[in-house]
Amino acid sequence: MKNKALLVILGVASPLAVLAAWWTFSANSTNSFFPPLEVILQRFTDLWLFEHFTSDVLLSMGNLFSGFLIGIAAGVVIGFVLAMVPPVRWMFEPTIHFFRGIPPVAMIPIVITLIGFGTEMRVANIALAAFFPTLIATMDGIRGIDGSLKDVCSVYRLTRTERMVRVYLPAAGPQIFSGMQVSLQVSFVVMIASEMLGSSKGIGAMTLLAQQSFMSADMWAGILLLGVIGFLVNIGFELLKGRVLRWYIGSRRVERAA
């Protein structure tokens, strides 16, 4: 518990220390491209907490979570099917690895060509980015289940649904959540990139517009907001993972203590 509390304190204190150093070293800055942090925070408050909160911040977060949930849901379901049905996996696995090797950001122009500009394009890009890491993690997690668990399922004559819900999904849960975490990070990057291409709404679009208009304080405020959102979203996901996988974390602690 002490080590965990120390890690939490360090995780929170490190960004605060960076901001304090930034405030100190930029206080007397006269460079128009690197304004003082005090000015940036003032623009941060004016832009993101009031003027553009509903029209841009909530829009970006809605696109992020919508695309992310669609992508991981499809990844888990299709990953289960491919892992449980080897002939289907052998048929589609080369195609999956081909598309997985393409950087998610590189898929944005293709999706724009197929769907056009708009919210649907951004959600589709985010879902596509979230899909492959979760899919691969689910497949590997199911295929890596200990054979003794499968023997127990046979002994107790569990149905296929009972095996999937009560045994396979919990057993593969740690690996699936690791894939989801990668999906979340990639989705966040794609959310920003998709808003910078042909969009006038969203955090990425507003940050790019500020950069192109030489409004340095507004640009840094947007970058700061993206950092804060990424930090908070990652913490929220870690808390969710810790709650869902509490049994697994507890068993690991028992193994280490033994």
Side-chain angles (χ1 to χ4, degrees):
M1 292 297 293
K2 292 182 179 179
N3 291 335
K4 184 177 180 179
L6 179 61
L7 291 175
V8 171
I9 292 173
L10 289 175
V12 174
S14 298
L16 294 178
V18 171
L19 289 176
W22 187 358
W23 180 288
T24 302
F25 289 108
S26 67
N28 299 320
S29 175
T30 57
N31 190 327
S32 58
F33 295 102
F34 299 98
L37 181 57
E38 182 179 4
V39 176
I40 296 172
L41 291 177
Q42 182 60 51
R43 293 301 300 158
F44 181 95
T45 303
D46 295 340
L47 287 173
W48 303 121
L49 299 185
F50 298 101
E51 185 177 350
H52 294 280
F53 181 77
T54 302
S55 61
D56 295 283
V57 178
L58 293 184
L59 176 65
S60 294
M61 299 309 297
N63 292 338
L64 174 64
F65 289 119
S66 297
F68 174 69
L69 292 176
I70 293 171
I72 64 171
V76 170
V77 172
I78 297 177
F80 257 95
V81 173
L82 295 179
M84 298 295 294
V85 186
V88 177
R89 183 176 70 250
W90 298 333
M91 184 184 304
F92 289 100
E93 197 167 25
T95 304
I96 291 172
H97 287 294
F98 172 79
F99 282 103
R100 185 187 67 159
I102 301 175
V105 175
M107 296 294 292
I108 295 177
I110 299 175
V111 178
I112 291 176
T113 304
L114 297 175
I115 301 178
F117 297 101
T119 302
E120 296 82 4
M121 177 273 293
R122 293 189 284 276
V123 173
N125 275 301
I126 295 169
L128 191 62
F131 173 71
F132 287 104
T134 303
L135 172 71
I136 299 299
T138 302
M139 290 173 56
D140 291 343
I142 298 300
R143 295 173 62 188
I145 292 176
D146 191 353
S148 61
L149 289 177
K150 298 179 180 179
D151 294 338
V152 171
C153 294
S154 300
V155 169
Y156 283 95
R157 298 181 180 180
L158 298 180
T159 64
R160 182 176 293 273
T161 302
E162 289 174 334
R163 294 184 185 193
M164 292 176 60
V165 175
R166 297 185 179 183
V167 180
Y168 294 170
L169 183 61
Q175 195 157 348
I176 293 174
F177 266 90
S178 297
M180 287 182 180
Q181 191 159 21
V182 175
S183 294
L184 180 61
Q185 296 167 356
V186 177
S187 298
F188 190 71
V189 173
V190 172
M191 177 202 76
I192 300 168
S194 64
E195 290 177 346
M196 289 183 172
L197 294 176
S199 175
S200 60
K201 294 290 184 181
I203 303 171
M206 294 299 298
T207 303
L208 180 64
L209 179 62
Q211 182 266 331
Q212 293 174 341
S213 304
F214 298 98
M215 296 185 292
S216 299
D218 292 5
M219 179 194 70
W220 284 107
I223 294 173
L224 183 61
L225 175 64
L226 292 172
V228 170
I229 291 176
F231 181 74
L232 294 178
V233 168
N234 190 63
I235 289 179
F237 187 85
E238 287 287 347
L239 293 175
L240 175 63
K241 183 172 72 171
R243 181 172 293 274
V244 175
L245 300 179
R246 183 164 43 189
W247 63 272
Y248 174 76
I249 297 172
S251 65
R252 296 281 293 183
R253 288 176 180 170
V254 172
E255 291 178 0
R256 291 173 183 172

